[in-house]
Each structure stands twice: as structure tokens, then as C-alpha cells.
């Protein structure tokens, strides 16, 4: 029963991640190519974006550990890192680099276990 709830909990998070991914691409394109200011409200949301991504990543990490899905954990780490790389502030870039390294280390462990 718990595994079904955790699997269902991951679906809205993936949808929100996909929405953030597309939203960041369009936001960056609007700012770069159209050169129009999108207002103070988007700047406030953009400020809290790394915290939102990390909170949702923590939930996905918990679900993947409980459900014993290390391969999906690798993809979640790299997807969260890609969202943070687009944010382009120094703290979010450092966190994204750490998430990428974490995903690559887990991938290395998975490869090592596959050859045993």
C-alpha cells in the first residue's frame, strides 16, 4: 500500500519539474530575445526556485530509497541539477554541481554492481 502511495506522489512532482523546465526555457528566451521585463512577481518566484526544486528532490529521493529504485534516483538527480543549472546564480550552480556529482557516483555504484 505504501509503495502505491509513494509512486502516486512522484507523478505530480515530475509534472511540476517538467512545467518548471519549460517555464524556465521560455522565461530565459523572453528575457534574452524580447528584452522585456517580466515584473517583480516573477523575480520573487525565481528567487525561491532552488528551494522549491530541492524540497521536491528530497521527496523524490525519499521515494526512490524506499522503493529501491537507484536508476531512477540517478535520473532525478540529473533532472533536478538541470533545473538548477538554468537558474544561473552561484549557490544554485554549486548545488547543481553537487547533485550532478551525486548522480554520477550513484551511477558508478550501479555499474559496479552490474558487473558482479
Amino acid at each position: 500500500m505504501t509503495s502505491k502511495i509513494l509512486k502516486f506522489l512522484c507523478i505530480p512532482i515530475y509534472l511540476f519539474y517538467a512545467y518548471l523546465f519549460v517555464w524556465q526555457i521560455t522565461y530565459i528566451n523572453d528575457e534574452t530575445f524580447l528584452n522585456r521585463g517580466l515584473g517583480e512577481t516573477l523575480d520573487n518566484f525565481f528567487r525561491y526556485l532552488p528551494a522549491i526544486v530541492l524540497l521536491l528532490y528530497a521527496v523524490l529521493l525519499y521515494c526512490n530509497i524506499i522503493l529501491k529504485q537507484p536508476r531512477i534516483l540517478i535520473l532525478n538527480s540529473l533532472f533536478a541539477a538541470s533545473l538548477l543549472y538554468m537558474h544561473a546564480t552561484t549557490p544554485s550552480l554549486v548545488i547543481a554541481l553537487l547533485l550532478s556529482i551525486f548522480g554520477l557516483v550513484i551511477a558508478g555504484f550501479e555499474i559496479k554492481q552490474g558487473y558482479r
Side-chain angles (χ1 to χ4, degrees):
M1 184 66 177
T2 305
S3 64
K4 289 182 181 181
I5 293 171
L6 290 177
K7 286 180 184 179
F8 180 74
L9 181 65
C10 292
I11 293 170
I13 296 173
Y14 288 131
L15 291 174
F16 188 70
Y17 269 9
Y19 172 75
L20 281 179
F21 189 76
V22 171
W23 179 78
Q24 281 187 339
I25 290 173
T26 57
Y27 177 81
I28 291 169
N29 286 338
D30 284 348
E31 284 292 318
T32 303
F33 297 115
L34 299 178
N35 198 18
R36 58 179 189 189
L38 294 177
E40 185 67 28
T41 57
L42 290 178
D43 290 337
N44 287 336
F45 175 72
F46 212 55
R47 182 183 317 155
Y48 297 111
L49 187 67
I52 294 168
V53 169
L54 288 177
L55 177 68
L56 295 176
Y57 174 73
V59 172
L60 287 176
L61 180 69
Y62 175 76
C63 292
N64 292 140
I65 289 172
I66 296 298
L67 297 174
K68 297 181 175 95
Q69 299 173 330
R71 291 185 180 134
I72 297 175
L73 174 65
I74 297 165
L75 295 175
N76 289 339
S77 298
L78 297 177
F79 193 42
S82 69
L83 288 172
L84 292 173
Y85 277 128
M86 282 194 272
H87 190 60
T89 60
T90 304
S92 64
L93 291 176
V94 169
I95 293 169
L97 179 67
L98 291 174
L99 283 176
S100 298
I101 291 171
F102 177 71
L104 293 175
V105 167
I106 297 297
F109 286 142
E110 281 299 305
I111 290 172
K112 189 175 180 181
Q113 284 183 353
Y115 288 121
R116 286 185 183 187

